[in-house]
Amino acid sequence: MIILTAVGPDRPGMAHAVASILADAGCNIEDTTMTRLAGEFAMILIVELPGEISLAQLQVRLAPLENSHGLFLSSREIADEAPLSEQEKDAPRFIVTAYGAERAGLLARLTGVLSAHEANITDVQSRVASAGTVYVMIFEVQLPPDLSPETLQAALETAAREISVTVSMRALEEETL
């Protein structure tokens, strides 16, 4: 199993360029996230290599994308994902949304609250919106067994007041994924 990152100037066909090389090599893409950040394409993939292809061989196949697409590529082997424990499978998951005037430190403050409460951030998206005046953050978090949603929400609301943002928290409905 490998983790592969690709970053470069955004343009149509970037995802296809990477995915088609992986498919031609017989790789299975197990998990991926792709986004555009300030005009840059960014992609992270978890890939299972077929037995006959080594990481070094795959890197050789991907290397031409640096010149043809301007992609910076990085890859390394990772351990196979350990199966989730029953406790992890059953851990409640929530969506936390926050927004306020754009300025430095907002993401750091809210991630600090989540970290202090041992809430695991499984996904985060943030954007500057409204012509650069509003910063929007959306977190997917998994709560530890001893943390109540009410306790976390209260801590987030306290932090939100301190940094002048609005925050909300709601249970994640699995079918919305």
mmCIF file with all atom_site columns, all heavy atoms in Angstrom, residues 165-177:
data_model
loop_
_atom_site.group_PDB
_atom_site.id
_atom_site.type_symbol
_atom_site.label_atom_id
_atom_site.label_alt_id
_atom_site.label_comp_id
_atom_site.label_asym_id
_atom_site.label_entity_id
_atom_site.label_seq_id
_atom_site.pdbx_PDB_ins_code
_atom_site.Cartn_x
_atom_site.Cartn_y
_atom_site.Cartn_z
_atom_site.occupancy
_atom_site.B_iso_or_equiv
_atom_site.pdbx_formal_charge
_atom_site.auth_seq_id
_atom_site.auth_comp_id
_atom_site.auth_asym_id
_atom_site.auth_atom_id
_atom_site.pdbx_PDB_model_num
ATOM 1   N N   . VAL A 1 165 ? -16.346 34.167 15.880 1.00 0.00 ? 165 VAL A N   1
ATOM 2   C CA  . VAL A 1 165 ? -16.907 33.371 14.791 1.00 0.00 ? 165 VAL A CA  1
ATOM 3   C C   . VAL A 1 165 ? -18.195 32.711 15.277 1.00 0.00 ? 165 VAL A C   1
ATOM 4   O O   . VAL A 1 165 ? -18.447 32.638 16.479 1.00 0.00 ? 165 VAL A O   1
ATOM 5   C CB  . VAL A 1 165 ? -15.931 32.288 14.254 1.00 0.00 ? 165 VAL A CB  1
ATOM 6   C CG1 . VAL A 1 165 ? -14.655 32.915 13.722 1.00 0.00 ? 165 VAL A CG1 1
ATOM 7   C CG2 . VAL A 1 165 ? -15.617 31.231 15.287 1.00 0.00 ? 165 VAL A CG2 1
ATOM 8   N N   . THR A 1 166 ? -18.982 32.259 14.341 1.00 0.00 ? 166 THR A N   1
ATOM 9   C CA  . THR A 1 166 ? -20.189 31.506 14.651 1.00 0.00 ? 166 THR A CA  1
ATOM 10  C C   . THR A 1 166 ? -19.871 30.038 14.434 1.00 0.00 ? 166 THR A C   1
ATOM 11  O O   . THR A 1 166 ? -19.266 29.672 13.421 1.00 0.00 ? 166 THR A O   1
ATOM 12  C CB  . THR A 1 166 ? -21.336 31.948 13.721 1.00 0.00 ? 166 THR A CB  1
ATOM 13  O OG1 . THR A 1 166 ? -21.552 33.346 13.919 1.00 0.00 ? 166 THR A OG1 1
ATOM 14  C CG2 . THR A 1 166 ? -22.608 31.184 14.012 1.00 0.00 ? 166 THR A CG2 1
ATOM 15  N N   . VAL A 1 167 ? -20.284 29.194 15.375 1.00 0.00 ? 167 VAL A N   1
ATOM 16  C CA  . VAL A 1 167 ? -19.997 27.766 15.263 1.00 0.00 ? 167 VAL A CA  1
ATOM 17  C C   . VAL A 1 167 ? -21.278 26.972 15.492 1.00 0.00 ? 167 VAL A C   1
ATOM 18  O O   . VAL A 1 167 ? -22.136 27.371 16.278 1.00 0.00 ? 167 VAL A O   1
ATOM 19  C CB  . VAL A 1 167 ? -18.888 27.336 16.261 1.00 0.00 ? 167 VAL A CB  1
ATOM 20  C CG1 . VAL A 1 167 ? -19.357 27.437 17.694 1.00 0.00 ? 167 VAL A CG1 1
ATOM 21  C CG2 . VAL A 1 167 ? -18.371 25.943 15.958 1.00 0.00 ? 167 VAL A CG2 1
ATOM 22  N N   . SER A 1 168 ? -21.402 25.862 14.763 1.00 0.00 ? 168 SER A N   1
ATOM 23  C CA  . SER A 1 168 ? -22.519 24.934 14.986 1.00 0.00 ? 168 SER A CA  1
ATOM 24  C C   . SER A 1 168 ? -21.986 23.516 14.890 1.00 0.00 ? 168 SER A C   1
ATOM 25  O O   . SER A 1 168 ? -20.948 23.270 14.272 1.00 0.00 ? 168 SER A O   1
ATOM 26  C CB  . SER A 1 168 ? -23.639 25.162 13.969 1.00 0.00 ? 168 SER A CB  1
ATOM 27  O OG  . SER A 1 168 ? -23.191 24.849 12.665 1.00 0.00 ? 168 SER A OG  1
ATOM 28  N N   . MET A 1 169 ? -22.718 22.603 15.505 1.00 0.00 ? 169 MET A N   1
ATOM 29  C CA  . MET A 1 169 ? -22.302 21.203 15.520 1.00 0.00 ? 169 MET A CA  1
ATOM 30  C C   . MET A 1 169 ? -23.541 20.344 15.364 1.00 0.00 ? 169 MET A C   1
ATOM 31  O O   . MET A 1 169 ? -24.548 20.580 16.024 1.00 0.00 ? 169 MET A O   1
ATOM 32  C CB  . MET A 1 169 ? -21.586 20.898 16.846 1.00 0.00 ? 169 MET A CB  1
ATOM 33  C CG  . MET A 1 169 ? -20.966 19.541 16.914 1.00 0.00 ? 169 MET A CG  1
ATOM 34  S SD  . MET A 1 169 ? -19.932 19.415 18.397 1.00 0.00 ? 169 MET A SD  1
ATOM 35  C CE  . MET A 1 169 ? -20.621 17.965 19.119 1.00 0.00 ? 169 MET A CE  1
ATOM 36  N N   . ARG A 1 170 ? -23.465 19.374 14.462 1.00 0.00 ? 170 ARG A N   1
ATOM 37  C CA  . ARG A 1 170 ? -24.593 18.464 14.265 1.00 0.00 ? 170 ARG A CA  1
ATOM 38  C C   . ARG A 1 170 ? -24.076 17.059 14.009 1.00 0.00 ? 170 ARG A C   1
ATOM 39  O O   . ARG A 1 170 ? -22.958 16.870 13.513 1.00 0.00 ? 170 ARG A O   1
ATOM 40  C CB  . ARG A 1 170 ? -25.487 18.922 13.111 1.00 0.00 ? 170 ARG A CB  1
ATOM 41  C CG  . ARG A 1 170 ? -24.827 18.878 11.767 1.00 0.00 ? 170 ARG A CG  1
ATOM 42  C CD  . ARG A 1 170 ? -25.805 19.229 10.641 1.00 0.00 ? 170 ARG A CD  1
ATOM 43  N NE  . ARG A 1 170 ? -25.111 19.386 9.389  1.00 0.00 ? 170 ARG A NE  1
ATOM 44  C CZ  . ARG A 1 170 ? -24.739 18.402 8.582  1.00 0.00 ? 170 ARG A CZ  1
ATOM 45  N NH1 . ARG A 1 170 ? -24.960 17.152 8.911  1.00 0.00 ? 170 ARG A NH1 1
ATOM 46  N NH2 . ARG A 1 170 ? -24.119 18.643 7.447  1.00 0.00 ? 170 ARG A NH2 1
ATOM 47  N N   . ALA A 1 171 ? -24.895 16.076 14.373 1.00 0.00 ? 171 ALA A N   1
ATOM 48  C CA  . ALA A 1 171 ? -24.522 14.681 14.150 1.00 0.00 ? 171 ALA A CA  1
ATOM 49  C C   . ALA A 1 171 ? -24.391 14.418 12.660 1.00 0.00 ? 171 ALA A C   1
ATOM 50  O O   . ALA A 1 171 ? -25.163 14.945 11.850 1.00 0.00 ? 171 ALA A O   1
ATOM 51  C CB  . ALA A 1 171 ? -25.564 13.751 14.771 1.00 0.00 ? 171 ALA A CB  1
ATOM 52  N N   . LEU A 1 172 ? -23.416 13.623 12.306 1.00 0.00 ? 172 LEU A N   1
ATOM 53  C CA  . LEU A 1 172 ? -23.200 13.247 10.908 1.00 0.00 ? 172 LEU A CA  1
ATOM 54  C C   . LEU A 1 172 ? -24.113 12.092 10.570 1.00 0.00 ? 172 LEU A C   1
ATOM 55  O O   . LEU A 1 172 ? -24.127 11.071 11.266 1.00 0.00 ? 172 LEU A O   1
ATOM 56  C CB  . LEU A 1 172 ? -21.745 12.835 10.679 1.00 0.00 ? 172 LEU A CB  1
ATOM 57  C CG  . LEU A 1 172 ? -21.396 12.353 9.294  1.00 0.00 ? 172 LEU A CG  1
ATOM 58  C CD1 . LEU A 1 172 ? -21.508 13.491 8.287  1.00 0.00 ? 172 LEU A CD1 1
ATOM 59  C CD2 . LEU A 1 172 ? -19.993 11.782 9.274  1.00 0.00 ? 172 LEU A CD2 1
ATOM 60  N N   . GLU A 1 173 ? -24.877 12.257 9.542  1.00 0.00 ? 173 GLU A N   1
ATOM 61  C CA  . GLU A 1 173 ? -25.746 11.187 9.061  1.00 0.00 ? 173 GLU A CA  1
ATOM 62  C C   . GLU A 1 173 ? -24.986 10.426 7.985  1.00 0.00 ? 173 GLU A C   1
ATOM 63  O O   . GLU A 1 173 ? -24.592 10.994 6.972  1.00 0.00 ? 173 GLU A O   1
ATOM 64  C CB  . GLU A 1 173 ? -27.043 11.778 8.518  1.00 0.00 ? 173 GLU A CB  1
ATOM 65  C CG  . GLU A 1 173 ? -27.840 12.512 9.582  1.00 0.00 ? 173 GLU A CG  1
ATOM 66  C CD  . GLU A 1 173 ? -29.093 13.164 9.033  1.00 0.00 ? 173 GLU A CD  1
ATOM 67  O OE1 . GLU A 1 173 ? -29.566 12.739 7.949  1.00 0.00 ? 173 GLU A OE1 1
ATOM 68  O OE2 . GLU A 1 173 ? -29.573 14.102 9.670  1.00 0.00 ? 173 GLU A OE2 1
ATOM 69  N N   . GLU A 1 174 ? -24.728 9.157  8.239  1.00 0.00 ? 174 GLU A N   1
ATOM 70  C CA  . GLU A 1 174 ? -23.888 8.350  7.361  1.00 0.00 ? 174 GLU A CA  1
ATOM 71  C C   . GLU A 1 174 ? -24.327 8.367  5.911  1.00 0.00 ? 174 GLU A C   1
ATOM 72  O O   . GLU A 1 174 ? -23.513 8.352  5.012  1.00 0.00 ? 174 GLU A O   1
ATOM 73  C CB  . GLU A 1 174 ? -23.825 6.910  7.866  1.00 0.00 ? 174 GLU A CB  1
ATOM 74  C CG  . GLU A 1 174 ? -23.096 6.768  9.185  1.00 0.00 ? 174 GLU A CG  1
ATOM 75  C CD  . GLU A 1 174 ? -21.653 7.204  9.134  1.00 0.00 ? 174 GLU A CD  1
ATOM 76  O OE1 . GLU A 1 174 ? -20.969 6.988  8.133  1.00 0.00 ? 174 GLU A OE1 1
ATOM 77  O OE2 . GLU A 1 174 ? -21.198 7.779  10.137 1.00 0.00 ? 174 GLU A OE2 1
ATOM 78  N N   . GLU A 1 175 ? -25.624 8.413  5.660  1.00 0.00 ? 175 GLU A N   1
ATOM 79  C CA  . GLU A 1 175 ? -26.077 8.366  4.273  1.00 0.00 ? 175 GLU A CA  1
ATOM 80  C C   . GLU A 1 175 ? -25.734 9.631  3.507  1.00 0.00 ? 175 GLU A C   1
ATOM 81  O O   . GLU A 1 175 ? -25.867 9.673  2.305  1.00 0.00 ? 175 GLU A O   1
ATOM 82  C CB  . GLU A 1 175 ? -27.572 8.038  4.167  1.00 0.00 ? 175 GLU A CB  1
ATOM 83  C CG  . GLU A 1 175 ? -28.488 9.039  4.829  1.00 0.00 ? 175 GLU A CG  1
ATOM 84  C CD  . GLU A 1 175 ? -28.779 8.722  6.291  1.00 0.00 ? 175 GLU A CD  1
ATOM 85  O OE1 . GLU A 1 175 ? -28.223 7.763  6.839  1.00 0.00 ? 175 GLU A OE1 1
ATOM 86  O OE2 . GLU A 1 175 ? -29.558 9.450  6.892  1.00 0.00 ? 175 GLU A OE2 1
ATOM 87  N N   . THR A 1 176 ? -25.284 10.690 4.183  1.00 0.00 ? 176 THR A N   1
ATOM 88  C CA  . THR A 1 176 ? -24.907 11.908 3.478  1.00 0.00 ? 176 THR A CA  1
ATOM 89  C C   . THR A 1 176 ? -23.492 11.829 2.943  1.00 0.00 ? 176 THR A C   1
ATOM 90  O O   . THR A 1 176 ? -23.047 12.711 2.232  1.00 0.00 ? 176 THR A O   1
ATOM 91  C CB  . THR A 1 176 ? -25.035 13.154 4.388  1.00 0.00 ? 176 THR A CB  1
ATOM 92  O OG1 . THR A 1 176 ? -24.148 13.013 5.496  1.00 0.00 ? 176 THR A OG1 1
ATOM 93  C CG2 . THR A 1 176 ? -26.448 13.352 4.837  1.00 0.00 ? 176 THR A CG2 1
ATOM 94  N N   . LEU A 1 177 ? -22.756 10.800 3.301  1.00 0.00 ? 177 LEU A N   1
ATOM 95  C CA  . LEU A 1 177 ? -21.395 10.660 2.797  1.00 0.00 ? 177 LEU A CA  1
ATOM 96  C C   . LEU A 1 177 ? -21.491 10.195 1.392  1.00 0.00 ? 177 LEU A C   1
ATOM 97  O O   . LEU A 1 177 ? -20.858 10.239 0.518  1.00 0.00 ? 177 LEU A O   1
ATOM 98  C CB  . LEU A 1 177 ? -20.596 9.664  3.625  1.00 0.00 ? 177 LEU A CB  1
ATOM 99  C CG  . LEU A 1 177 ? -20.427 10.043 5.089  1.00 0.00 ? 177 LEU A CG  1
ATOM 100 C CD1 . LEU A 1 177 ? -19.684 8.944  5.832  1.00 0.00 ? 177 LEU A CD1 1
ATOM 101 C CD2 . LEU A 1 177 ? -19.659 11.335 5.226  1.00 0.00 ? 177 LEU A CD2 1
#
